Coordinates of all heavy atoms in Angstrom, one line a residue:
M1 N 0.8 -1.3 0.0 CA -0.1 -0.1 0.1 C 0.9 1.2 0.1 O 1.8 1.3 0.8 CB -0.8 0.0 1.2 CG -1.9 1.1 1.2 SD -2.9 1.0 2.6 CE -4.2 0.1 1.9
S2 N 0.6 2.2 -0.8 CA 1.3 3.4 -0.9 C 0.5 4.6 -0.6 O -0.8 4.7 -1.1 CB 1.8 3.5 -2.4 OG 2.5 4.8 -2.6
Y3 N 1.0 5.5 0.1 CA 0.3 6.6 0.5 C 1.0 7.9 -0.1 O 2.2 7.9 -0.2 CB 0.3 6.9 2.1 CG -0.5 5.8 2.7 CD1 0.2 4.7 3.3 CD2 -1.9 6.0 2.9 CE1 -0.5 3.9 4.1 CE2 -2.5 5.0 3.5 CZ -1.8 3.9 4.0 OH -2.5 2.9 4.8
E4 N 0.1 8.8 -0.6 CA 0.6 10.0 -1.1 C 0.1 11.3 -0.3 O -1.1 11.3 0.1 CB 0.1 10.2 -2.6 CG 0.9 9.3 -3.5 CD 0.5 9.6 -5.0 OE1 0.3 10.8 -5.3 OE2 0.5 8.6 -5.8
V5 N 0.8 12.3 -0.1 CA 0.5 13.4 0.5 C -0.1 14.4 -0.4 O 0.5 14.7 -1.4 CB 1.7 14.0 1.2 CG1 1.2 15.4 1.9 CG2 2.3 13.2 2.2
E6 N -1.4 14.8 -0.2 CA -2.0 15.7 -1.1 C -1.5 17.1 -0.7 O -1.3 17.5 0.4 CB -3.5 15.8 -0.8 CG -4.3 14.6 -1.4 CD -5.7 14.7 -1.3 OE1 -6.3 15.8 -1.2 OE2 -6.4 13.7 -1.2
K7 N -1.3 17.9 -1.7 CA -0.8 19.2 -1.6 C -1.9 20.3 -2.1 O -2.4 20.1 -3.1 CB 0.6 19.6 -2.3 CG 1.7 18.6 -1.7 CD 2.9 19.0 -2.5 CE 4.0 18.1 -1.9 NZ 5.3 18.3 -2.5
H8 N -2.1 21.2 -1.2 CA -3.1 22.3 -1.6 C -2.4 23.6 -1.3 O -1.5 23.6 -0.4 CB -4.3 22.2 -0.7 CG -5.1 21.0 -0.9 ND1 -6.1 20.8 -1.8 CD2 -5.1 19.8 -0.1 CE1 -6.5 19.4 -1.7 NE2 -6.0 18.8 -0.8
E9 N -2.7 24.6 -2.1 CA -2.1 25.9 -1.9 C -3.3 26.9 -1.7 O -4.4 26.9 -2.3 CB -1.5 26.3 -3.2 CG -0.7 27.5 -3.0 CD 0.1 28.0 -4.3 OE1 0.8 27.0 -4.7 OE2 0.1 28.9 -4.8
Y10 N -3.1 27.7 -0.8 CA -4.0 28.8 -0.4 C -3.5 30.1 -0.5 O -2.4 30.4 0.1 CB -4.6 28.6 1.0 CG -5.6 29.6 1.4 CD1 -6.8 29.9 1.0 CD2 -5.1 30.6 2.5 CE1 -7.6 30.8 1.3 CE2 -5.9 31.6 2.8 CZ -7.2 31.8 2.4 OH -7.9 32.8 2.7
T11 N -3.9 31.0 -1.3 CA -3.5 32.3 -1.4 C -4.5 33.3 -0.8 O -5.5 33.4 -1.4 CB -3.3 32.8 -2.8 OG1 -2.3 31.8 -3.4 CG2 -2.6 34.1 -2.9
P12 N -4.2 34.0 0.4 CA -5.3 34.8 0.9 C -5.4 36.1 0.1 O -4.5 36.4 -0.5 CB -4.7 35.0 2.4 CG -3.3 34.8 2.3 CD -3.1 33.8 1.2
K13 N -6.7 36.4 0.1 CA -6.9 37.8 -0.5 C -7.1 38.9 0.5 O -7.8 38.7 1.4 CB -8.4 37.5 -1.2 CG -8.4 38.2 -2.6 CD -9.9 37.9 -3.2 CE -9.6 37.7 -4.6 NZ -11.1 37.5 -5.2
N14 N -6.4 40.0 0.4 CA -6.5 41.1 1.2 C -7.8 41.8 0.7 O -7.8 42.4 -0.3 CB -5.2 42.0 1.0 CG -4.2 41.4 1.9 OD1 -4.2 40.7 2.9 ND2 -2.9 41.9 1.4
F15 N -8.7 41.8 1.6 CA -10.0 42.5 1.2 C -10.2 43.8 2.0 O -10.5 44.9 1.5 CB -11.1 41.4 1.5 CG -12.5 42.0 1.1 CD1 -12.7 42.4 -0.2 CD2 -13.4 42.1 1.9 CE1 -14.0 43.0 -0.6 CE2 -14.7 42.5 1.6 CZ -15.0 43.0 0.3
L16 N -10.1 43.7 3.4 CA -10.3 44.9 4.2 C -9.2 45.8 4.1 O -8.0 45.5 4.2 CB -10.5 44.5 5.6 CG -11.7 43.7 5.9 CD1 -11.8 43.2 7.4 CD2 -13.0 44.4 5.6
A17 N -9.3 47.1 3.8 CA -8.2 48.1 3.5 C -8.0 49.1 4.4 O -7.2 50.0 4.2 CB -8.5 48.6 2.1
G18 N -8.8 49.3 5.6 CA -8.6 50.3 6.4 C -9.4 50.3 7.6 O -10.0 49.4 7.9
D19 N -9.5 51.6 8.3 CA -10.3 51.6 9.5 C -11.6 52.0 9.4 O -12.2 52.1 10.6 CB -9.3 52.6 10.5 CG -7.9 52.0 10.8 OD1 -7.9 50.8 10.8 OD2 -7.1 52.8 11.0
F20 N -12.1 52.4 8.3 CA -13.4 52.9 8.1 C -14.3 51.7 8.7 O -14.2 50.6 8.2 CB -13.8 53.2 6.7 CG -15.1 54.1 6.6 CD1 -15.2 55.4 6.8 CD2 -16.2 53.2 6.4 CE1 -16.3 56.1 6.6 CE2 -17.5 54.0 6.2 CZ -17.4 55.4 6.3
P21 N -15.3 51.9 9.6 CA -16.2 50.9 10.1 C -16.9 50.1 9.1 O -17.6 50.6 8.0 CB -17.2 51.7 11.0 CG -16.6 52.9 11.2 CD -15.7 53.2 10.0
T22 N -16.9 48.8 9.1 CA -17.7 48.0 8.3 C -19.0 47.6 9.2 O -19.1 47.4 10.3 CB -16.9 46.7 8.0 OG1 -16.7 45.9 9.3 CG2 -15.7 46.8 7.3
V23 N -20.1 47.7 8.2 CA -21.3 47.4 8.8 C -21.9 46.2 8.0 O -22.3 46.5 6.9 CB -22.3 48.7 8.8 CG1 -23.8 48.3 9.3 CG2 -21.8 49.9 9.6
P24 N -22.0 45.0 8.7 CA -22.8 44.0 7.9 C -24.1 43.9 8.0 O -24.8 44.5 8.9 CB -22.1 42.8 8.6 CG -21.9 43.2 10.0 CD -21.5 44.7 9.9
E25 N -24.8 43.3 7.1 CA -26.3 43.1 7.0 C -26.5 41.8 6.4 O -25.6 41.2 5.6 CB -26.9 44.3 6.2 CG -28.4 44.3 6.1 CD -29.0 44.3 7.4 OE1 -29.2 45.5 8.0 OE2 -29.5 43.3 8.0
D26 N -27.7 41.2 6.6 CA -28.0 39.9 6.0 C -29.3 40.0 5.2 O -30.0 40.9 5.2 CB -28.1 38.9 6.9 CG -29.1 39.1 8.0 OD1 -30.1 39.3 7.6 OD2 -28.8 39.0 9.2
G27 N -29.3 39.1 4.3 CA -30.5 39.0 3.4 C -30.6 37.6 2.8 O -30.0 36.7 3.2
V28 N -31.6 37.5 1.7 CA -31.6 36.4 1.0 C -31.2 36.5 -0.5 O -31.6 37.5 -1.1 CB -33.1 35.9 1.0 CG1 -33.3 34.6 0.1 CG2 -33.4 35.6 2.4
A29 N -30.5 35.6 -1.0 CA -29.9 35.7 -2.4 C -31.0 35.5 -3.3 O -31.7 34.4 -3.3 CB -28.7 34.8 -2.7
G30 N -31.2 36.4 -4.3 CA -32.1 36.2 -5.4 C -31.5 35.6 -6.7 O -32.2 35.5 -7.6
A31 N -30.3 35.3 -6.7 CA -29.4 34.8 -7.7 C -28.2 34.3 -7.1 O -27.8 34.5 -5.9 CB -29.1 35.8 -8.7
A32 N -27.5 33.5 -7.9 CA -26.1 33.0 -7.3 C -25.2 34.3 -7.3 O -25.1 34.9 -8.2 CB -25.5 31.9 -8.4
I33 N -24.5 34.3 -6.3 CA -23.5 35.5 -6.0 C -22.2 35.0 -5.5 O -22.2 34.1 -4.7 CB -24.2 36.4 -4.9 CG1 -25.5 36.9 -5.3 CG2 -23.2 37.7 -4.6 CD1 -26.3 37.7 -4.2
D34 N -21.2 35.6 -6.1 CA -19.8 35.1 -5.7 C -19.3 36.1 -4.5 O -19.9 37.2 -4.3 CB -18.8 35.4 -6.9 CG -19.0 34.4 -8.0 OD1 -19.3 33.2 -7.7 OD2 -18.9 34.7 -9.2
E35 N -18.3 35.6 -3.8 CA -17.7 36.4 -2.7 C -17.2 37.7 -3.4 O -16.7 37.8 -4.4 CB -16.5 35.5 -2.3 CG -15.7 36.2 -1.2 CD -14.6 35.2 -0.8 OE1 -13.7 34.9 -1.6 OE2 -14.4 35.0 0.4
F36 N -17.3 38.7 -2.5 CA -16.8 40.2 -2.8 C -17.4 40.7 -4.1 O -16.7 41.4 -4.8 CB -15.3 40.1 -2.8 CG -14.6 39.5 -1.7 CD1 -13.4 38.9 -1.8 CD2 -15.2 39.6 -0.3 CE1 -12.8 38.3 -0.7 CE2 -14.5 39.1 0.7 CZ -13.3 38.5 0.6
T37 N -18.7 40.5 -4.3 CA -19.3 41.0 -5.5 C -20.3 42.2 -5.1 O -20.9 42.1 -4.1 CB -20.3 39.9 -6.2 OG1 -19.4 38.8 -6.4 CG2 -21.0 40.4 -7.3
P38 N -20.2 43.3 -5.8 CA -21.1 44.4 -5.5 C -22.6 43.9 -5.8 O -22.8 43.2 -6.8 CB -20.7 45.4 -6.5 CG -19.4 45.0 -6.9 CD -19.3 43.6 -6.9
I39 N -23.5 44.3 -4.9 CA -24.8 43.8 -4.9 C -25.8 44.9 -4.9 O -25.6 46.0 -4.5 CB -25.1 42.7 -3.8 CG1 -24.7 43.2 -2.4 CG2 -24.3 41.5 -4.1 CD1 -25.7 43.7 -1.7
A40 N -27.0 44.4 -5.2 CA -28.3 45.4 -5.3 C -29.4 44.5 -4.7 O -29.3 43.3 -4.5 CB -28.6 46.0 -6.5
K41 N -30.7 45.1 -4.6 CA -31.9 44.4 -4.3 C -32.6 44.3 -5.5 O -33.0 45.2 -6.3 CB -32.6 45.0 -3.1 CG -32.0 44.7 -1.8 CD -32.8 45.2 -0.6 CE -32.1 45.0 0.6 NZ -32.9 45.4 1.8
N42 N -33.4 43.1 -5.8 CA -34.3 43.1 -6.9 C -35.6 43.5 -6.4 O -35.9 44.0 -5.2 CB -34.4 41.7 -7.5 CG -35.0 40.6 -6.5 OD1 -35.5 40.9 -5.5 ND2 -34.6 39.4 -6.9
D43 N -36.7 43.4 -7.1 CA -38.0 43.9 -6.8 C -38.7 43.1 -5.6 O -39.7 43.6 -5.0 CB -39.1 43.7 -8.0 CG -38.6 44.7 -9.1 OD1 -38.0 45.8 -8.9 OD2 -39.0 44.4 -10.3
E44 N -38.2 42.0 -5.3 CA -38.6 41.1 -4.3 C -37.9 41.4 -2.9 O -38.1 40.8 -2.0 CB -38.6 39.7 -4.7 CG -39.5 39.2 -5.8 CD -39.1 37.9 -6.2 OE1 -38.2 37.3 -5.8 OE2 -40.0 37.3 -7.1
G45 N -36.9 42.4 -3.1 CA -36.0 42.6 -1.9 C -34.9 41.6 -1.7 O -34.2 41.6 -0.6
K46 N -34.8 40.7 -2.6 CA -33.7 39.7 -2.6 C -32.4 40.3 -3.1 O -32.4 41.2 -3.9 CB -34.0 38.4 -3.3 CG -35.2 37.7 -2.6 CD -35.4 36.4 -3.2 CE -36.4 35.6 -2.4 NZ -36.7 34.3 -3.0
I47 N -31.2 39.7 -2.6 CA -29.9 40.3 -3.0 C -29.4 39.7 -4.3 O -29.4 38.4 -4.4 CB -28.9 40.0 -1.9 CG1 -29.4 40.5 -0.5 CG2 -27.5 40.6 -2.2 CD1 -29.7 41.9 -0.4
I48 N -29.1 40.5 -5.2 CA -28.5 40.1 -6.6 C -27.3 40.8 -6.9 O -27.1 42.0 -6.4 CB -29.7 40.3 -7.6 CG1 -30.0 41.8 -7.7 CG2 -30.8 39.4 -7.5 CD1 -31.0 42.2 -8.9
P49 N -26.5 40.2 -7.7 CA -25.1 41.0 -8.3 C -25.6 42.2 -9.1 O -26.7 42.1 -9.8 CB -24.5 40.0 -9.3 CG -25.1 38.7 -8.8 CD -26.5 38.9 -8.4
I50 N -24.9 43.2 -9.0 CA -25.2 44.5 -9.8 C -24.8 44.1 -11.3 O -24.1 43.1 -11.6 CB -24.5 45.7 -9.4 CG1 -23.0 45.5 -9.6 CG2 -24.9 46.1 -8.1 CD1 -22.2 46.8 -9.5
T51 N -25.3 45.0 -12.2 CA -25.0 44.8 -13.7 C -24.5 46.2 -14.1 O -24.7 47.1 -13.3 CB -26.2 44.4 -14.6 OG1 -27.1 45.4 -14.4 CG2 -26.7 43.0 -13.9
A52 N -24.1 46.4 -15.3 CA -23.8 47.7 -15.8 C -25.0 48.7 -15.8 O -24.8 49.9 -15.5 CB -23.1 47.7 -17.2
D53 N -26.3 48.1 -15.9 CA -27.5 48.9 -15.9 C -27.9 49.2 -14.4 O -28.6 50.1 -14.3 CB -28.6 48.2 -16.6 CG -28.3 47.9 -18.0 OD1 -27.6 48.9 -18.7 OD2 -28.7 47.0 -18.7
T54 N -27.6 48.4 -13.4 CA -28.0 48.5 -12.2 C -27.0 49.1 -11.1 O -27.2 49.1 -9.9 CB -28.6 47.3 -11.5 OG1 -27.7 46.3 -11.4 CG2 -29.9 46.8 -12.4
I55 N -26.0 49.6 -11.7 CA -24.7 49.9 -10.8 C -25.1 51.1 -9.9 O -24.7 51.1 -8.7 CB -23.5 50.3 -11.7 CG1 -22.2 50.5 -10.8 CG2 -23.7 51.7 -12.4 CD1 -21.0 50.5 -11.6
D56 N -26.0 51.9 -10.3 CA -26.5 53.0 -9.4 C -27.4 52.5 -8.2 O -27.7 53.4 -7.4 CB -27.2 54.2 -10.2 CG -26.2 54.9 -11.1 OD1 -24.9 55.0 -10.7 OD2 -26.5 55.4 -12.1
S57 N -27.7 51.3 -8.2 CA -28.7 50.7 -7.2 C -27.9 50.0 -6.2 O -28.4 49.3 -5.4 CB -29.8 49.8 -7.8 OG -30.5 50.6 -8.7
V58 N -26.5 50.0 -6.3 CA -25.7 49.2 -5.4 C -25.9 49.5 -4.0 O -26.2 50.6 -3.5 CB -24.2 49.4 -5.8 CG1 -23.7 50.8 -5.5 CG2 -23.3 48.4 -5.0
I59 N -26.0 48.6 -3.1 CA -26.2 48.6 -1.6 C -25.1 48.1 -0.9 O -25.1 48.3 0.3 CB -27.6 48.0 -1.2 CG1 -27.6 46.5 -1.4 CG2 -28.7 48.6 -1.9 CD1 -28.6 45.7 -0.8
G60 N -24.2 47.3 -1.4 CA -23.1 46.9 -0.6 C -22.2 45.8 -1.4 O -22.4 45.8 -2.8
I61 N -21.5 45.0 -0.7 CA -20.6 44.1 -1.2 C -20.7 42.8 -0.5 O -20.7 42.7 0.7 CB -19.1 44.6 -1.2 CG1 -18.8 45.8 -2.1 CG2 -18.2 43.4 -1.7 CD1 -17.4 46.4 -1.9
S62 N -20.9 41.7 -1.2 CA -21.1 40.3 -0.5 C -19.9 39.9 0.2 O -18.8 40.2 -0.2 CB -21.5 39.3 -1.5 OG -20.4 39.1 -2.4
V63 N -20.1 39.3 1.4 CA -19.0 38.8 2.2 C -18.6 37.5 1.7 O -17.4 37.1 1.8 CB -19.4 38.8 3.8 CG1 -18.3 38.2 4.5 CG2 -19.6 40.3 4.2
E64 N -19.5 36.7 1.3 CA -19.3 35.3 1.0 C -20.2 35.0 -0.2 O -21.1 35.8 -0.7 CB -19.8 34.5 2.1 CG -21.3 34.7 2.4 CD -21.8 34.3 3.9 OE1 -20.9 33.7 4.5 OE2 -22.8 34.5 4.2
A65 N -19.9 33.9 -0.9 CA -20.8 33.4 -2.0 C -22.1 32.7 -1.5 O -22.1 32.3 -0.3 CB -19.8 32.2 -2.7
A66 N -23.0 32.7 -2.4 CA -24.3 32.3 -2.0 C -25.0 31.8 -3.2 O -24.9 32.3 -4.2 CB -25.2 33.2 -1.3
E67 N -25.8 30.7 -3.2 CA -26.7 30.2 -4.2 C -28.1 30.9 -4.0 O -28.5 31.5 -2.9 CB -26.8 28.7 -4.1 CG -25.4 27.9 -4.4 CD -25.0 28.3 -5.7 OE1 -25.7 28.5 -6.7 OE2 -23.7 28.5 -5.8
I68 N -28.8 30.8 -5.1 CA -30.2 31.4 -5.0 C -31.0 31.0 -3.7 O -30.9 29.7 -3.6 CB -30.9 31.2 -6.3 CG1 -32.1 32.0 -6.4 CG2 -31.2 29.7 -6.6 CD1 -32.9 32.0 -7.7
N69 N -31.7 31.8 -3.1 CA -32.5 31.5 -1.9 C -31.6 31.3 -0.7 O -32.3 30.9 0.4 CB -33.5 30.5 -2.2 CG -34.5 31.1 -3.2 OD1 -35.0 32.2 -3.2 ND2 -35.0 30.2 -4.1
D70 N -30.3 31.1 -0.8 CA -29.5 31.0 0.4 C -29.4 32.4 1.2 O -29.6 33.5 0.6 CB -28.1 30.6 0.1 CG -28.0 29.2 -0.4 OD1 -29.0 28.5 -0.2 OD2 -26.9 28.8 -0.8
P71 N -29.2 32.2 2.5 CA -28.9 33.5 3.2 C -27.5 34.0 2.9 O -26.6 33.4 2.4 CB -28.8 33.1 4.7 CG -28.8 31.5 4.8 CD -29.2 31.1 3.3
I72 N -27.5 35.3 2.9 CA -26.1 36.0 2.5 C -25.9 37.1 3.4 O -26.8 37.9 3.9 CB -26.2 36.4 1.0 CG1 -24.8 36.9 0.6 CG2 -27.3 37.5 0.7 CD1 -24.7 37.0 -1.0
V73 N -24.6 37.4 3.6 CA -24.1 38.5 4.5 C -23.5 39.4 3.6 O -22.7 39.0 2.6 CB -23.3 38.1 5.7 CG1 -22.6 39.2 6.5 CG2 -23.9 37.1 6.6
Y74 N -23.6 40.7 3.7 CA -23.0 41.7 2.9 C -22.5 43.0 3.8 O -23.1 43.1 4.8 CB -23.8 42.1 1.7 CG -25.1 42.9 2.1 CD1 -25.3 44.1 2.1 CD2 -26.3 41.9 2.3 CE1 -26.6 44.7 2.3 CE2 -27.5 42.5 2.6 CZ -27.6 43.9 2.6 OH -28.8 44.5 2.9
Y75 N -21.5 43.7 3.2 CA -21.1 44.9 3.9 C -21.8 46.0 3.3 O -21.9 46.2 2.1 CB -19.6 45.0 3.6 CG -18.8 44.2 4.4 CD1 -17.8 43.3 3.8 CD2 -18.8 44.1 5.8 CE1 -17.0 42.5 4.4 CE2 -17.9 43.3 6.5 CZ -17.1 42.5 5.8 OH -16.2 41.6 6.5
M76 N -22.4 46.9 4.3 CA -23.0 48.1 3.8 C -22.2 49.4 3.9 O -22.4 50.4 3.3 CB -24.3 48.4 4.7 CG -25.3 47.3 4.6 SD -26.7 47.5 5.7 CE -27.0 49.2 6.0
T77 N -21.0 49.3 4.6 CA -20.1 50.3 4.6 C -18.7 49.8 4.8 O -18.6 48.6 5.2 CB -20.3 51.3 5.8 OG1 -20.1 50.5 7.0 CG2 -21.6 51.9 5.8
G78 N -17.6 50.4 4.5 CA -16.3 49.9 4.9 C -15.4 50.5 3.7 O -15.7 51.2 2.9
E79 N -14.0 50.1 3.9 CA -13.0 50.3 3.1 C -12.4 49.1 2.6 O -11.9 48.2 3.4 CB -11.8 51.1 3.9 CG -11.5 52.5 3.5 CD -10.5 53.1 4.4 OE1 -10.5 52.9 5.6 OE2 -9.7 53.7 3.9
F80 N -12.1 48.9 1.4 CA -11.8 47.5 0.8 C -10.8 47.7 -0.4 O -10.9 48.8 -1.0 CB -13.1 46.8 0.3 CG -14.2 46.8 1.3 CD1 -15.2 47.5 1.2 CD2 -14.1 45.7 2.2 CE1 -16.3 47.5 2.1 CE2 -15.0 45.7 3.2 CZ -16.1 46.5 3.1
F81 N -10.0 46.8 -0.6 CA -9.1 46.9 -1.7 C -9.9 46.7 -3.2 O -10.6 45.7 -3.3 CB -8.0 45.8 -1.6 CG -7.0 46.2 -0.6 CD1 -6.8 45.6 0.7 CD2 -6.1 47.4 -0.7 CE1 -5.9 45.9 1.6 CE2 -5.1 47.7 0.3 CZ -5.1 46.9 1.4
A82 N -9.7 47.5 -4.1 CA -10.3 47.3 -5.3 C -10.0 46.1 -6.2 O -10.9 45.5 -6.8 CB -10.0 48.6 -6.1
N83 N -8.8 45.6 -6.0 CA -8.4 44.4 -6.8 C -9.0 43.1 -6.2 O -8.9 42.1 -6.8 CB -6.9 44.4 -6.9 CG -6.2 44.2 -5.5 OD1 -6.8 44.2 -4.5 ND2 -4.9 43.9 -5.6
A84 N -9.6 43.2 -5.0 CA -10.2 42.1 -4.4 C -11.7 41.9 -4.9 O -12.4 41.0 -4.7 CB -10.1 42.1 -3.0
I85 N -12.2 43.0 -5.5 CA -13.7 43.0 -5.8 C -13.9 42.1 -7.0 O -13.2 42.3 -8.0 CB -14.1 44.4 -6.1 CG1 -14.0 45.4 -4.9 CG2 -15.5 44.6 -6.6 CD1 -14.7 45.0 -3.7
N86 N -14.9 41.3 -6.9 CA -15.4 40.6 -8.1 C -16.3 41.4 -9.0 O -17.4 41.6 -8.6 CB -16.1 39.3 -7.5 CG -16.6 38.4 -8.7 OD1 -16.0 38.4 -9.7 ND2 -17.5 37.6 -8.4
L87 N -15.7 41.8 -10.0 CA -16.5 42.8 -11.0 C -17.4 42.0 -11.9 O -17.0 41.2 -12.7 CB -15.5 43.6 -11.7 CG -14.7 44.7 -11.0 CD1 -13.8 45.4 -12.1 CD2 -15.7 45.8 -10.4
P88 N -18.6 42.3 -11.8 CA -19.6 41.7 -12.9 C -19.2 42.3 -14.3 O -18.7 43.3 -14.4 CB -20.9 42.2 -12.4 CG -20.8 42.5 -11.0 CD -19.4 42.9 -10.9
E89 N -19.6 41.4 -15.2 CA -19.3 41.8 -16.7 C -19.9 43.1 -16.9 O -21.1 43.4 -16.6 CB -19.8 40.8 -17.6 CG -19.4 41.0 -19.0 CD -19.9 39.7 -19.8 OE1 -19.9 38.6 -19.3 OE2 -20.2 40.0 -21.2
G90 N -19.1 44.0 -17.6 CA -19.7 45.3 -18.1 C -19.5 46.4 -17.0 O -19.9 47.5 -17.3
V91 N -19.1 46.1 -15.8 CA -18.9 47.0 -14.7 C -17.4 47.4 -14.6 O -16.5 46.5 -14.6 CB -19.4 46.5 -13.4 CG1 -19.1 47.5 -12.3 CG2 -20.8 46.1 -13.4
T92 N -17.0 48.7 -14.7 CA -15.6 49.0 -14.4 C -15.5 49.6 -13.0 O -16.5 50.0 -12.3 CB -15.3 50.3 -15.5 OG1 -16.1 51.4 -15.0 CG2 -15.6 49.9 -16.8
I93 N -14.2 49.4 -12.6 CA -13.8 49.7 -11.3 C -14.2 51.3 -11.0 O -14.5 51.7 -9.9 CB -12.4 49.3 -10.9 CG1 -12.4 49.3 -9.3 CG2 -11.4 50.2 -11.5 CD1 -13.0 48.3 -8.7
D94 N -13.8 52.1 -11.9 CA -14.0 53.5 -11.9 C -15.4 53.9 -11.6 O -15.8 54.8 -10.7 CB -13.6 54.4 -13.1 CG -12.0 54.2 -13.2 OD1 -11.4 54.1 -12.1 OD2 -11.5 54.3 -14.3
K95 N -16.4 53.3 -12.4 CA -17.8 53.6 -12.2 C -18.3 53.0 -10.8 O -19.1 53.8 -10.2 CB -18.6 53.1 -13.3 CG -18.5 53.8 -14.6 CD -19.4 53.3 -15.7 CE -19.2 54.1 -16.9 NZ -20.0 53.7 -18.0
L96 N -17.8 51.9 -10.6 CA -18.1 51.3 -9.3 C -17.7 52.1 -8.0 O -18.4 52.3 -7.1 CB -17.6 49.9 -9.1 CG -17.9 49.0 -7.9 CD1 -19.5 48.8 -7.8 CD2 -17.2 47.7 -8.0
K97 N -16.5 52.7 -8.1 CA -15.9 53.5 -7.1 C -16.9 54.6 -6.8 O -17.3 54.9 -5.6 CB -14.6 54.0 -7.3 CG -13.5 53.1 -7.1 CD -12.1 53.8 -7.3 CE -10.9 52.9 -7.0 NZ -9.7 53.6 -7.3
D98 N -17.4 55.3 -7.8 CA -18.3 56.5 -7.7 C -19.6 56.0 -7.0 O -20.2 56.7 -6.2 CB -18.5 57.1 -9.0 CG -17.4 57.8 -9.6 OD1 -16.5 58.1 -8.8 OD2 -17.3 58.1 -10.8
A99 N -20.1 54.9 -7.6 CA -21.5 54.4 -7.0 C -21.4 54.0 -5.6 O -22.2 54.3 -4.8 CB -22.0 53.4 -7.9
L100 N -20.2 53.4 -5.3 CA -20.0 52.9 -3.9 C -19.9 54.0 -2.9 O -20.2 53.9 -1.7 CB -18.9 51.8 -3.7 CG -19.3 50.5 -4.3 CD1 -17.9 49.7 -4.4 CD2 -20.3 49.8 -3.6
R101 N -19.2 55.1 -3.4 CA -18.9 56.2 -2.4 C -20.3 56.7 -1.8 O -20.3 57.2 -0.7 CB -18.3 57.4 -3.1 CG -16.8 57.0 -3.2 CD -16.0 58.3 -3.8 NE -14.7 57.9 -4.2 CZ -14.2 57.9 -5.4 NH1 -15.0 58.5 -6.4 NH2 -13.1 57.6 -5.8
K102 N -21.3 56.7 -2.6 CA -22.6 57.3 -2.2 C -23.2 56.3 -1.1 O -24.1 56.8 -0.4 CB -23.6 57.2 -3.4 CG -23.1 58.1 -4.6 CD -24.2 58.0 -5.7 CE -23.6 58.8 -6.8 NZ -24.4 58.5 -8.1
V103 N -22.7 55.1 -0.8 CA -23.3 54.3 0.3 C -22.1 54.1 1.4 O -22.2 53.1 2.1 CB -23.8 53.1 -0.1 CG1 -25.1 53.2 -1.0 CG2 -22.8 52.2 -0.9
S104 N -21.1 55.0 1.3 CA -20.0 54.9 2.4 C -19.2 53.6 2.3 O -18.7 53.1 3.3 CB -20.5 55.1 3.7 OG -21.1 56.4 3.8
I105 N -19.0 53.1 1.0 CA -18.0 52.0 0.7 C -16.9 52.7 -0.2 O -17.2 53.3 -1.1 CB -18.7 50.8 0.1 CG1 -19.6 50.3 1.0 CG2 -17.6 49.9 -0.4 CD1 -20.3 49.0 0.4
F106 N -15.7 52.6 0.4 CA -14.5 53.2 -0.3 C -13.5 52.1 -0.7 O -13.2 51.2 -0.1 CB -13.8 54.2 0.6 CG -14.8 55.2 1.2 CD1 -15.4 55.0 2.4 CD2 -15.2 56.3 0.4 CE1 -16.4 55.9 2.9 CE2 -16.1 57.2 1.0 CZ -16.6 57.1 2.2
L107 N -13.2 52.2 -2.1 CA -12.2 51.2 -2.6 C -10.9 51.9 -2.8 O -10.7 53.0 -3.3 CB -12.7 50.8 -4.0 CG -14.0 50.1 -4.2 CD1 -14.4 49.7 -5.6 CD2 -14.1 48.9 -3.1
K108 N -9.8 51.1 -2.4 CA -8.4 51.7 -2.4 C -7.7 50.8 -3.5 O -7.9 49.5 -3.6 CB -7.7 51.6 -1.1 CG -8.3 52.5 -0.1 CD -7.4 52.5 1.2 CE -7.8 53.5 2.2 NZ -6.8 53.6 3.2
D109 N -6.8 51.4 -4.2 CA -5.9 50.6 -5.1 C -4.9 49.9 -4.3 O -4.5 50.2 -3.3 CB -5.3 51.6 -6.1 CG -6.4 52.3 -7.0 OD1 -7.4 51.5 -7.2 OD2 -6.1 53.5 -7.3

């Protein structure tokens, strides 16, 4: 019998970028959402990823990944590293920075 050691690699992501207070909130996912994704609410009040068309409706950034109808936690305020944000297709970091500032979320390079 031969045994092999499995090797795994973990590269941590620096997400929190400063001392600005983070305020978490929870909700229910209205779609599959990846970790650190800018989010909005749909007409049912469920949490969904933003799109280029809904960027002005952003309410926060997801803390974790969630599947549809799963509970989800998100940040409503805070300071985060821009390169850690999971950008939805068609959304640029510059436009996102402007939209997030309105809800007291600040992105740093």
